[in-house]
Amino acid sequence: MNALIQPGAELDLDAFVQLRRDIHQAPELGGDTPLTADLVASRLEAWGYEVHRGIGGHGVVGVLRRGEGGRRLGLRADMDALPMQEKNDFAHASHIPGRMHACGHDGHTAILLAAAWRLTREPRFNGTLNLIFQPDEEGLCGARAMMEDGLFQRFPCDAIFALHNMPGIPVGTAVVQSGPTMASSERVGLHIKGRGGHGAMPELAVDPIPVLASLINAIQTIKSRNLAVEEYAVISIGTVAAGTVYNIIPDDARMLVSVRTDTPATRRKINQRLEEIVRGHEQLFGVEIELEITQLAPALVNSEAETELLRTSLTPLFEPGLVLPRAAKVMGTEDFAWMLTEVPGCYFMLGNGEGEFHGCSVHNPHYDFSDALVRIGSDCWVKLAEDYLA
Ligand SMILES: [Zn+2]
Ligand SMILES: [Zn+2]
């Protein structure tokens, strides 16, 4: 691991590029990020931040106050990697088999640390800066764990922002979009309880398999028949399971479904329709069906005022026309959505580059974060802090 970057040192972003590569070599998974959290906390402490460790597990918050201003700004980075084998062979590739920073959270952490350091050297802001480093974004549990541990009660924020790199669009491009930006995600479990019996005597049993087949078809009609064109949703049946051998009617059958939407209203509509379809099938087939809906993350909705403020703040940093509205609809999910349910703010994207290497998709074994974003991203955070806490 590289040495502590001293608070009075010359502005040297290369040190943060090295820091990013150090984090890349030693990925940690899910909520289990003690070394990365310690690296973050020890640097913030060395630079004079008031540091709070162990929030919701390994979450870290660094607080810096300047002047008499009452405004409080939250900036958030994620720290966790993915359980996959890296297939890159450059010097900073993962040292740990089966673990890889394939989503660029190593870069997001380095960007926020670079901004943290620069904001102690160029403290042209007036108010409170809360820098939030969260574990377990990929598992969609880290943000909630920190919130359940009192994140916004202990460190109140008037607005909160986060960024993610985006392969496939050029470095030097930002995507800033108000309103629904990322999808909600829920896991829906259905358990059909019939009555098993001999395959030769179906009249003595209550067969759950025709019910399963009928449910598969009925669920397809939610998107095609119940939602309007502008209501975005993806409903995918991921598993169905029933029975053992050809001549036994099983007792029960199960199904797991993934539901993604981009607004709470569409989500409510889908869940209501699921409920109606399930209760209808109970009546029609004389079975009992357990319906279990688990919300993994809500839709990510950027608030209008904070998005506009961010766009205005970032525009001078980019070439004309390169702060873009949304590029394409994504139905991926982001844990930061939980934080935006309590505090208004904006989640935006920075182009990670195009072509075979830096254009390679996140969660791919050949992905790597583009080091050019350490400067661009920290420019964004420093400028936003100066503008929001003016
Ligand atoms: Zn990811
Ligand atoms: Zn990510």
Side-chain angles (χ1 to χ4, degrees):
M1 286 284 165
N2 87 347
L4 287 180
I5 295 149
Q6 294 305 321
E10 278 309 295
L11 181 65
D12 176 15
L13 283 171
D14 288 348
F16 289 95
V17 168
Q18 187 54 50
L19 190 75
R20 195 290 286 184
R21 293 179 174 201
D22 291 343
I23 298 170
H24 190 93
Q25 284 184 327
E28 294 182 297
L29 301 181
D32 193 19
T33 59
L35 300 177
T36 313
D38 184 60
L39 178 147
V40 165
S42 61
R43 271 140 188 90
L44 292 173
E45 275 159 4
W47 304 333
Y49 279 75
E50 175 192 309
V51 176
H52 302 262
R53 298 172 184 242
I55 300 167
H58 290 294
V60 175
V61 176
V63 182
L64 192 65
R65 295 186 188 86
R66 288 285 183 270
E68 299 300 312
R71 266 186 144 184
R72 300 151 308 180
L73 171 67
L75 303 176
R76 169 279 208 178
D78 37 19
M79 301 188 286
D80 57 317
L82 285 157
M84 56 190 282
Q85 182 64 40
E86 178 155 8
K87 290 193 178 159
N88 294 310
D89 52 11
F90 43 59
H92 66 274
S94 173
H95 282 176
I96 305 176
R99 292 189 195 175
M100 175 186 179
H101 267 292
C103 206
H105 299 183
D106 49 342
H108 306 159
T109 296
I111 287 173
L112 192 53
L113 282 175
W117 181 67
R118 292 172 63 180
L119 283 160
T120 61
R121 295 169 41 88
E122 317 156 17
R124 289 185 294 265
F125 69 91
N126 181 19
T128 301
L129 196 58
N130 293 315
L131 306 186
I132 301 163
F133 293 84
Q134 77 153 82
D136 205 11
E137 191 287 318
E138 296 291 354
L140 302 174
C141 291
R144 249 185 320 172
M146 290 187 78
M147 289 163 72
E148 281 162 9
D149 203 6
L151 176 65
F152 293 124
Q153 288 73 46
R154 293 165 67 185
F155 312 99
C157 295
D158 300 303
I160 184 156
F161 297 84
L163 65 78
H164 206 291
N165 75 95
M166 190 179 195
I169 61 169
V171 168
T173 308
V175 179
V176 180
Q177 174 73 44
S178 70
T181 304
M182 301 284 279
S184 65
S185 175
E186 56 187 33
R187 185 181 56 233
V188 178
L190 288 95
H191 185 192
I192 307 157
K193 298 172 180 172
R195 190 173 63 246
H198 197 298
M201 295 171 279
E203 72 280 11
L204 299 179
V206 179
D207 190 348
I209 288 182
V211 189
L212 185 70
S214 177
L215 277 168
I216 291 170
N217 285 324
I219 288 170
Q220 305 303 323
T221 66
I222 298 176
K223 176 157 160 81
S224 69
R225 305 292 84 190
N226 302 136
L227 296 183
V229 162
E230 67 275 10
E231 291 176 302
Y232 285 94
V234 180
I235 303 173
S236 295
I237 298 172
T239 72
V240 291
T244 49
V245 292
Y246 82 103
N247 63 351
I248 297 175
I249 293 169
D251 251 339
D252 63 348
R254 292 173 190 267
M255 185 191 297
L256 280 174
V257 188
S258 161
V259 174
R260 290 163 184 268
T261 71
D262 75 340
T263 65
T266 308
R267 178 178 154 257
R268 278 194 296 275
K269 204 165 164 180
I270 293 171
N271 288 351
Q272 189 195 334
R273 205 52 208 125
L274 280 168
E275 182 77 31
E276 290 165 359
I277 287 171
V278 161
R279 298 310 153 222
H281 276 69
E282 285 184 325
Q283 289 226 318
L284 188 60
F285 291 96
V287 292
E288 189 194 320
I289 305 175
E290 248 175 48
L291 174 66
E292 192 185 10
I293 298 176
T294 308
Q295 189 184 20
L296 304 172
L300 187 147
V301 184
N302 286 333
S303 58
E304 202 128 324
E306 284 70 22
T307 303
E308 204 37 55
L309 191 144
L310 178 75
R311 186 181 290 116
T312 306
S313 181
L314 298 197
T315 297
L317 300 178
F318 292 84
E319 296 289 330
L322 292 187
V323 177
L324 306 168
R326 174 173 49 232
K329 191 78 187 167
V330 270
M331 294 308 275
T333 301
E334 161 63 53
D335 198 18
F336 184 63
W338 286 111
M339 294 195 185
L340 288 178
T341 62
E342 273 196 30
V343 182
C346 182
Y347 174 80
F348 73 103
M349 309 282 191
L350 288 176
N352 195 60
E354 295 172 294
E356 227 176 280
F357 185 34
H358 283 130
C360 175
S361 163
V362 290
H363 294 212
N364 180 291
H366 296 288
Y367 167 85
D368 194 29
F369 177 83
S370 174
D371 285 327
L373 297 193
V374 171
R375 172 175 285 279
I376 296 171
S378 64
D379 280 351
C380 292
W381 287 148
V382 169
K383 178 76 165 37
L384 178 66
E386 290 174 358
D387 290 347
Y388 190 81
L389 304 173

